[in-house]
Amino acid sequence: MASTAAGKQRIPKVAKVKNKAPAEVQITAEQLLREAKERELELLPPPPKQKITDQEELNDYKLKKRKGFEDNIRKNRTVISNWIKYAQWEESLKEIQRARSIYERALDVDHRNITLWLKYAEMEMKSRQVNHARNIWDRAITILPRVNQFWYKYTYMEEMLGNVAGCRQVFERWMEWEPEEQAWHSYINFELRYKEVDKARTIYERFVIVHPEVKNWIKYARFEERHGYIAHSRKVYERAVEFFGEEHVDENLFVAFARFEETQKEFERVRVIYKYALDRIPKHQAQELFKNYTMFEKKFGDRRGIEDVIVSKRRFQYEEEVKANPHNYDAWFDYLRLVESDADADTVREVYERAIANVPPIQEKRHWRRYVYLWINYALYEELETRDPERTRQVYQACLELIPHKKFTFAKIWLLFAQFEIRQKNLPGARKIMGTAIGKCPKNKLLKGYIELELQLREFDRCRKLYEKYLEFSPENCTTWIKFAELETILGDIERARAIFELAISQPRLDMPEVLWKSYIDFEIEQEEFENTRNLYKRLLQRTQHVKVWISYAKFELSVDGPDRLQRCRQIYEEANKSMRSCEEKEERLMLLESWRDFEKEFGSDGTRERVRKLLPEKVKKRRKLTAEDGSDAGWEEYYDYIFPEDAANQPNLKLLAMAKMWKRQQAKDDDDDDGERSPEKPPTAEEESSRSSEEPETPDKQPEDESERNAGTETEKIYDDRDDDDSSSSDSDEGDGEKKQSRSREEDKD
């Protein structure tokens, strides 16, 4: 490149393309290749055919060809195809020695080429050079012993030549390398072609050791069966079962074994094989086994056999479940129920022992509830099915030793153990068990069970002592006090029973005091001690002013025969009404008045009925504002309230509100009468209607108009109850009448 005087390089000028528009005809590489293919510029015409007429021309032709082959080999010695073409060309000229020399030279280049050895050996066999072929095969299998093709070709050649001993010798050399299964089968088939069954058996023995697979053992057994050696075949199956053991069992082996025995009409053996297999193979791997077992029982078994199949299948399923989760006690229950229905005692005991060995990992009662029933079922099975009292006692004792009584206990176990001892006529043992239970972990259920046990034995002194212990342990249990008093009543000791009731009601804390008081009152009524009953009611009313107590008291006075029973009953109702005026629960007060009204309807006079009717409340519908949990407004809620006349007299606002309502209704009625007498007017125009609507906006909820409604705080509508003495309608009908009146009043307000 030229440079200037300053030493800088001079950049040559680049010709500028003035017209950058694309050419009209575009030429692509694909088009160039297609044109070259069409014109075939690079192909040379084939050389002309030559006819060789004499030996001199033949020698020239050979020389030329050999020179070409040698040139190709010199160019690339590793291309084995050039060597093979060269050797095959020499072979076509019957130049076997030259071809052999070429193959040897090629083997020096690549002695691991399989094709080269095959072509070399085929050339020798074609030219009937047997010893040369043997020599080549020997060299090949020595250098490449894992190429099975060499062995197959070699053994085939020896067998075709009739050299059986030589072929067997080659097979033996091959078997020393422990080849694939097909090689062994080829050897076995070779021996069978020459009726050498014993030698074939020997080969099978070696084969199943080298390739210890189930299918190979089955083939061995079928080989023995096919040649009539039934005992040998059975022995092969048995050896296979022992060989694989219980860790590597396969259902296909047992299916084949069972089918073999089925063909030999050994049905009991078949059944034993299936059961043995089902006991040892996991369920998900034994689907085909179950299927074949079922088909066998359907063909050759009876009803019992078919049931055994189903039971075995279910047993297998339960085994899988308990293996997956040993603490799944429901699965154990189902499994034990199945085993108990169809198994011997030893098997059942074994399953029970496996089940109870899975102790809950956490000492919490909720985890032990299902587990304890395994022990209970085990003990009941030993007692009722096997009738082994000593073993039953051991089961109960082992269970009680296992339960952590300091944290929790199960009264059911103690009671069942004691009842078992009683059935065995061991009363001291049963009492000792219950005493131990109460001493270790006193519970209500244990004490109740012990008392019931002594009651059944008619040991009333022991029952008294137990009740005393029970009440020391749990003085707030009203049921225990009641049962104790009932026991004394049955025994005829009334004073003792009354003393027990007195002690009970004097307790500072009781779980069901109302039940206790009712039992005490019923006890006094049964003893016809009416004065005591009245005193009890008065004492109870000092503690509580519940409406049911008043009603019960009134009904009691009504039930007592006497000349003044109605007066007493009425007096109680009056006292109840006075005492409940300050009660916030208005429904209870209404309940009392309704009971009083029913009483007066049946036994009272018109005056008393009218008096009670005036005491009945008015039912009022009110609205109150609701507030959500977050403090926001939740709307309005309608509810019903009761206004008693005695309370209304003390509340002037409500009275004023009622008078205002009545005045408003009267005014509306007068306006309606005036409108009816007047002539009809013209309908208002659209402008008048719009102006009227703008002046008087509609409001969905009417606000209180006067100060009295505002003070009440709610929008109220009175619905008066029907107080007619002869009316026997229920409260529901009163409510319906009230709603009708309410709707009527709304229509009047709207008019």
Side-chain angles (χ1 to χ4, degrees), residues 571-586:
Q571 184 180 355
I572 290 168
Y573 275 122
E574 290 178 356
E575 291 177 4
N577 188 33
K578 289 178 183 177
S579 67
M580 295 191 72
R581 283 180 185 174
S582 60
C583 179
E584 296 181 357
E585 296 294 333
K586 297 184 179 182

Side-chain angles (χ1 to χ4, degrees), residues 17-26:
V17 180
K18 295 182 179 180
N19 186 7
K20 296 183 179 181
E24 295 181 358
V25 179
Q26 296 290 321

Side-chain angles (χ1 to χ4, degrees), residues 110-308:
D110 185 7
H111 66 279
R112 302 186 67 82
N113 192 292
I114 298 172
T115 307
L116 194 61
W117 287 102
L118 292 175
K119 295 292 184 182
Y120 191 6
E122 286 176 3
M123 181 198 74
E124 296 291 357
M125 287 191 291
K126 285 179 184 177
S127 60
R128 300 183 181 277
Q129 299 293 326
V130 177
N131 289 330
H132 279 281
R134 283 197 182 107
N135 185 20
I136 292 166
W137 289 126
D138 282 334
R139 290 165 61 195
I141 62 177
T142 303
I143 295 172
L144 301 171
R146 292 297 179 187
V147 180
N148 293 329
Q149 198 171 1
F150 294 161
W151 295 99
Y152 284 123
K153 294 274 188 182
Y154 193 5
T155 54
Y156 181 73
M157 183 192 77
E158 293 292 354
E159 189 174 2
M160 290 297 101
L161 292 173
N163 186 10
V164 177
C167 182
R168 186 176 290 116
Q169 188 177 3
V170 174
F171 269 120
E172 286 295 333
R173 289 173 61 189
W174 191 7
M175 295 306 114
E176 289 177 1
W177 290 96
E178 297 182 358
E180 61 184 13
E181 296 176 8
Q182 187 57 42
W184 292 90
H185 291 311
S186 299
Y187 191 11
I188 291 166
N189 293 332
F190 163 75
E191 295 292 356
L192 291 177
R193 282 196 293 272
Y194 297 97
K195 311 297 181 184
E196 297 288 347
V197 178
D198 293 335
K199 290 184 179 180
R201 184 180 294 116
T202 306
I203 298 166
Y204 260 121
E205 289 287 345
R206 294 160 58 192
F207 173 44
V208 295
I209 300 301
V210 174
H211 295 282
E213 297 177 10
V214 172
K215 61 179 182 178
N216 296 331
W217 283 95
I218 294 173
K219 287 178 182 178
Y220 184 15
R222 287 177 180 169
F223 157 77
E224 296 287 1
E225 182 185 2
R226 192 165 51 248
H227 290 86
Y229 297 98
I230 304 301
H232 285 192
S233 178
R234 183 176 290 118
K235 192 171 182 181
V236 170
Y237 279 120
E238 292 172 355
R239 285 174 55 200
V241 172
E242 293 177 3
F243 178 81
F244 289 104
E246 295 185 2
E247 296 180 359
H248 304 284
V249 289
D250 192 297
E251 64 171 346
N252 295 322
L253 175 61
F254 291 101
V255 169
F257 194 4
R259 286 178 179 172
F260 162 74
E261 296 292 356
E262 186 178 336
T263 56
Q264 305 304 319
K265 311 296 182 185
E266 295 285 349
F267 301 129
E268 287 302 320
R269 281 177 173 270
V270 176
R271 196 168 284 113
V272 170
I273 291 167
Y274 278 126
K275 289 182 178 180
Y276 177 86
L278 290 173
D279 289 339
R280 285 160 178 79
I281 300 179
K283 182 198 169 196
H284 61 277
Q285 299 177 4
Q287 299 298 327
E288 192 68 24
L289 194 66
F290 274 121
K291 182 180 176 182
N292 284 277
Y293 189 17
T294 308
M295 291 172 59
F296 165 76
E297 289 293 349
K298 286 180 180 178
K299 287 193 292 185
F300 304 106
D302 52 3
R303 181 177 178 181
R304 177 67 178 171
I306 297 172
E307 289 178 356
D308 287 343

Side-chain angles (χ1 to χ4, degrees), residues 649-671:
N650 299 327
Q651 297 181 11
N653 290 337
L654 294 176
K655 195 170 183 180
L656 180 62
L657 179 62
M659 292 173 67
K661 288 280 186 182
M662 291 175 65
W663 176 81
K664 188 174 181 181
R665 288 176 187 168
Q666 187 65 32
Q667 288 293 108
K669 189 175 181 182
D670 294 343
D671 293 342

Side-chain angles (χ1 to χ4, degrees), residues 307-567:
E307 289 178 356
D308 287 343
V309 175
I310 299 170
V311 168
S312 299
K313 188 173 183 179
R314 290 176 60 193
R315 183 182 300 168
F316 223 77
Q317 177 183 353
Y318 291 138
E319 280 288 348
E320 291 299 313
E321 289 183 12
V322 298
K323 281 181 183 176
N325 183 8
H327 294 93
N328 183 4
Y329 300 121
D330 291 328
W332 281 112
F333 287 131
D334 296 337
Y335 189 14
L336 288 164
R337 197 177 300 115
L338 174 69
V339 172
E340 285 180 16
S341 64
D342 185 58
D344 56 348
D346 292 336
T347 306
V348 176
R349 285 193 183 111
E350 181 187 355
V351 178
Y352 266 118
E353 292 293 337
R354 288 171 54 199
I356 61 179
N358 299 296
V359 182
I362 303 173
Q363 289 189 354
E364 293 182 10
K365 191 167 184 177
R366 59 191 180 91
H367 296 289
W368 284 65
R369 292 186 188 279
R370 302 293 292 164
Y371 173 69
V372 164
Y373 276 96
L374 288 173
W375 286 95
I376 293 172
N377 292 345
Y378 190 10
L380 293 176
Y381 172 78
E382 292 290 352
E383 181 185 0
L384 302 177
E385 299 296 332
T386 61
R387 302 188 182 280
D388 190 347
E390 189 58 36
R391 194 173 181 88
T392 307
R393 191 174 288 110
Q394 292 174 4
V395 171
Y396 278 122
Q397 289 172 352
C399 178
L400 291 173
E401 289 174 1
L402 187 64
I403 297 172
H405 299 290
K406 291 183 179 179
K407 294 186 177 181
F408 57 85
T409 189
F410 292 93
K412 185 181 288 291
I413 291 286
W414 293 102
L415 294 172
L416 287 172
F417 193 10
Q419 290 165 5
F420 161 73
E421 293 292 356
I422 289 173
R423 287 193 293 273
Q424 302 302 318
K425 298 181 175 54
N426 185 11
L427 184 57
R431 284 181 175 146
K432 184 178 179 182
I433 290 166
M434 294 307 298
T436 306
I438 294 171
K440 278 188 175 181
C441 43
K443 284 183 64 177
N444 290 335
K445 195 172 181 181
L446 275 173
L447 289 161
K448 285 180 183 177
Y450 197 3
I451 291 168
E452 288 176 4
L453 180 65
E454 296 294 351
L455 276 175
Q456 291 173 1
L457 298 171
R458 300 294 186 266
E459 294 286 347
F460 300 116
D461 291 335
R462 286 182 177 273
C463 290
R464 285 194 178 103
K465 291 179 182 178
L466 287 173
Y467 269 122
E468 291 171 4
K469 293 290 184 183
Y470 195 175
L471 292 171
E472 288 176 8
F473 169 68
S474 176
E476 71 278 358
N477 194 334
C478 292
T479 307
T480 310
W481 289 102
I482 294 168
K483 293 287 185 183
F484 193 7
E486 286 178 357
L487 173 65
E488 297 295 348
T489 306
I490 292 170
L491 296 176
D493 198 341
I494 305 301
E495 292 301 324
R496 191 179 178 92
R498 187 174 288 115
I500 290 168
F501 274 122
E502 287 293 336
L503 275 173
I505 61 176
S506 64
Q507 295 298 318
R509 189 165 59 92
L510 295 169
D511 54 359
M512 293 185 296
E514 66 280 358
V515 177
L516 181 63
W517 279 94
K518 186 177 182 305
S519 300
Y520 193 6
I521 291 168
D522 293 341
F523 163 75
E524 293 291 359
I525 292 172
E526 286 178 4
Q527 304 301 322
E528 297 183 356
E529 295 288 345
F530 300 127
E531 285 301 324
N532 291 346
T533 308
R534 290 189 184 95
N535 294 332
L536 279 177
Y537 270 117
K538 291 175 182 177
R539 290 166 64 187
L540 179 57
L541 288 170
Q542 289 174 2
R543 297 193 180 194
T544 178
Q545 292 289 323
H546 199 276
V547 64
K548 290 186 178 180
V549 178
W550 286 107
I551 294 172
S552 175
Y553 189 11
K555 288 181 179 179
F556 159 71
E557 291 292 356
L558 186 62
S559 64
V560 176
D561 293 334
D564 56 346
R565 66 188 185 101
L566 298 179
Q567 185 63 30

